[in-house]
Amino acid sequence: MPRELHLLAFGNTRSAGPWRHPDVDNSTAGVRRRLFEHARTAEAGTFDALFFADGLNYGPPATWAYKTTEDFEPLTTTAALSSVTESIGLVVTGSATLAHPYHLARQLLSLDHLSGGRAGWNLVTSFARAAADNFSADGVRAHDERYLIAGEALEVVRKLWDGWGEDTIVEDRAAGIFNDVNSIRPADHHGRYFDVAGPIGAARSPQGQPVLFQAGSSDTGRTFAATHAEVIFTSHGNRGRAEEFYRQIHQESRRLGRSKPPLITPSLRYVVGSTDEEARRAEREEYEYFSPEYQAGWLLEVDVDVTGADLDGPVPASAFPDHTETHQTALAGYRHLASDGNPSVREFLYRTVNGWGAAVVGTPERIADEIEEWFTAGAADGFVLRDTGLPGQSALFVEQVVPVLRKRGLFRHEYSGTTLRSHLGLDVPQGPAR
């Protein structure tokens, strides 16, 4: 069976720059309308899913003056979106190191049922001190220990998801018996980090279990992702590094005995225009509204400090520590952005709007070319798409780029199933034996 391209879109519509555009409605109602329109547009383009990033804090104080306030929580946001969409997947970010696994399991399985089997969990290991301070945590755990906690949290969540078997619900109205208690499987978990009795009281997911996404790219994170993830969200600034990561994940997953490797979907920022000049004009507009002060403040979370530096001067070497326990991959990625072509601080900060991922600016054909090249070269199975945040870009992608990808036989014309697993071509996990 030929490979099929997968397209997801960032669901978050808030930002720290485009809110200044005169056509952007920053009211709560305006943000809500924009979320709904964005979801419907992506579904009209038959995207696999909307992907909601998240941070469990409002960001470093240095960012507070520059960002919008409608920082909607992903699980409640996607629950609302599930009622105005029918097919598109809904992937939410949840911290395996700060949120309790019982809550995560119950919330995610509830979203999965309410959406008809369209939920996915982007499992993260929270690295921000500001996030830890919101959860009575004793600071941020060391990098590798966060993955030990996440591994146990995932074990607990999956036990809770498997509490009800296919034959647990008997619904014997005459006897008044709803569940066969002999086939309920409490988690009864007692580990190093968690003690969870269970069960959560929910039937099995329409897709077996919500789909597990993960974004580990450090050595420890990559092993974790190769072991557990069904889809890996990652960022690579060029195709060569993406191809190497793709090979590493496939080799590692085979070594671990997995029959099918995880799908790999890097981020891709795009700016589309009917002509190259129109696309460049849209990018210049984005540059006009981006906030260097916000970006400088946000980078403090990953231990990169350019606050107070001359925006039109070179990026100071002192901006980067030799080592970090927060986000090792981010530190390496941003260090590369600062050294590639010796940008000014302002130019460097504009590059960080896209994290350290890939970007393409141009016509629909040019963007489709880039996507096809990465896909056919074995650098990606698809992409999580990020637009400029300015009005109209996501609609232009669906109206102009998606038809080109369909014409080339790379992307679906319609959904062939009803669950996120079916969109992604993933197997349904087997339920536990009675």
Side-chain angles (χ1 to χ4, degrees):
M1 184 176 178
R3 290 169 68 217
E4 181 180 76
L5 177 71
H6 297 288
L7 295 179
L8 301 85
F10 277 99
N12 311 70
T13 61
R14 63 183 174 85
S15 62
W19 67 263
R20 297 167 55 216
H21 192 281
D23 293 338
V24 173
D25 180 353
N26 297 304
S27 68
T28 301
V31 175
R32 180 177 178 273
R33 280 194 301 271
R34 193 155 61 248
L35 279 165
F36 284 14
E37 289 168 4
H38 183 57
R40 291 178 178 126
T41 297
E43 186 168 66
T46 62
F47 283 23
D48 295 79
L50 291 170
F51 183 98
F52 283 82
D54 192 37
L56 295 173
N57 64 95
Y58 192 56
T63 67
W64 293 356
Y66 309 106
K67 62 187 296 188
T68 53
T69 53
E70 299 308 339
D71 187 16
F72 294 141
E73 187 276 324
L75 276 156
T76 45
T77 299
T78 49
L81 292 178
S82 73
S83 68
V84 298
T85 58
E86 295 181 356
S87 301
I88 194 166
L90 302 163
V91 182
V92 298
T93 294
S95 172
T97 53
L98 291 179
H100 195 280
Y102 184 90
H103 281 310
L104 282 170
R106 189 179 184 209
Q107 290 167 328
L108 288 160
L109 190 52
S110 295
L111 174 63
D112 209 30
H113 280 296
L114 291 169
S115 65
R118 296 187 277 143
W121 175 24
N122 177 40
L123 183 160
V124 298
T125 60
S126 298
F127 61 82
R129 175 58 190 262
D133 289 346
N134 286 332
F135 286 80
S136 303
D138 185 20
V140 178
R141 303 294 186 107
H143 179 273
D144 287 2
E145 187 181 14
R146 295 202 299 271
Y147 282 100
L148 295 177
I149 297 169
E152 187 176 332
L154 177 59
E155 180 184 354
V156 174
V157 167
R158 283 178 162 160
K159 285 180 179 178
L160 291 166
W161 283 345
D162 279 342
W164 256 237
E166 302 291 351
D167 57 350
T168 301
I169 297 175
V170 294
E171 200 175 344
D172 186 336
R173 295 173 186 257
I177 301 296
F178 195 85
N179 297 309
D180 176 1
V181 296
N182 294 314
S183 66
I184 296 174
R185 304 162 187 83
D188 193 25
H189 179 91
H190 305 284
R192 178 178 176 183
Y193 299 105
F194 302 106
D195 288 283
V196 180
I200 56 174
R204 268 182 70 77
S205 159
Q207 55 178 344
Q209 290 182 0
V211 177
L212 184 69
F213 287 66
Q214 216 277 319
S217 293
S218 65
D219 290 343
T220 304
R222 190 169 62 240
T223 299
F224 185 93
T227 303
H228 300 292
E230 296 174 284
V231 185
I232 296 178
F233 167 62
T234 185
S235 291
H236 299 286
N238 66 62
R239 202 176 77 200
R241 288 200 296 273
E243 289 177 19
E244 177 59 24
F245 180 81
Y246 194 97
R247 284 194 296 270
Q248 289 172 342
I249 290 294
H250 278 235
Q251 291 169 359
E252 182 72 2
S253 64
R254 283 196 298 270
R255 185 186 69 79
L256 292 165
R258 295 185 63 170
S259 58
K260 293 176 66 173
L263 297 171
I264 299 176
T265 56
S267 65
L268 178 66
R269 170 183 164 271
Y270 67 87
V271 185
V272 61
S274 298
T275 64
D276 286 331
E277 175 53 35
E278 185 178 302
R280 286 192 292 267
R281 190 162 57 245
E283 185 178 38
R284 287 194 297 270
E285 186 177 31
E286 180 194 30
Y287 186 79
E288 177 184 352
Y289 288 107
F290 106 97
S291 172
E293 295 83 4
Y294 168 79
Q295 291 302 126
W298 185 86
L299 288 176
L300 293 171
E301 280 206 337
V302 291
D303 297 334
V304 177
D305 188 357
V306 294
T307 56
D310 179 5
L311 288 176
D312 297 311
V315 180
S318 60
F320 301 94
D322 293 331
H323 178 71
T324 182
E325 282 291 334
T326 55
H327 201 306
Q328 296 175 7
T329 306
L331 179 62
Y334 290 130
R335 183 181 281 117
H336 174 76
L337 288 182
S339 63
D340 187 13
N342 298 315
S344 68
V345 172
R346 189 188 307 274
E347 290 166 340
F348 163 68
L349 290 171
Y350 177 65
R351 293 178 180 184
T352 68
V353 171
N354 187 42
W356 56 99
V360 57
V361 179
T363 64
E365 291 75 17
R366 169 76 186 91
I367 293 172
D369 288 344
E370 188 77 3
I371 290 172
E372 183 173 10
E373 287 167 9
W374 281 58
F375 180 68
T376 57
D381 295 303
F383 294 93
V384 182
L385 300 168
R386 184 195 300 272
D387 63 38
T388 64
L390 296 177
Q393 278 288 303
S394 59
L396 282 175
F397 188 98
V398 169
E399 293 165 4
Q400 298 184 12
V401 181
V402 167
V404 178
L405 295 171
R406 288 171 172 167
K407 187 175 181 180
R408 297 181 186 184
L410 296 171
F411 193 57
R412 66 171 70 90
H413 287 260
E414 59 186 18
Y415 293 109
S416 58
T418 61
T419 68
L420 178 55
R421 283 188 181 278
S422 65
H423 302 342
L424 295 167
L426 298 173
D427 295 333
V428 175
Q430 290 295 311
R434 183 181 176 88

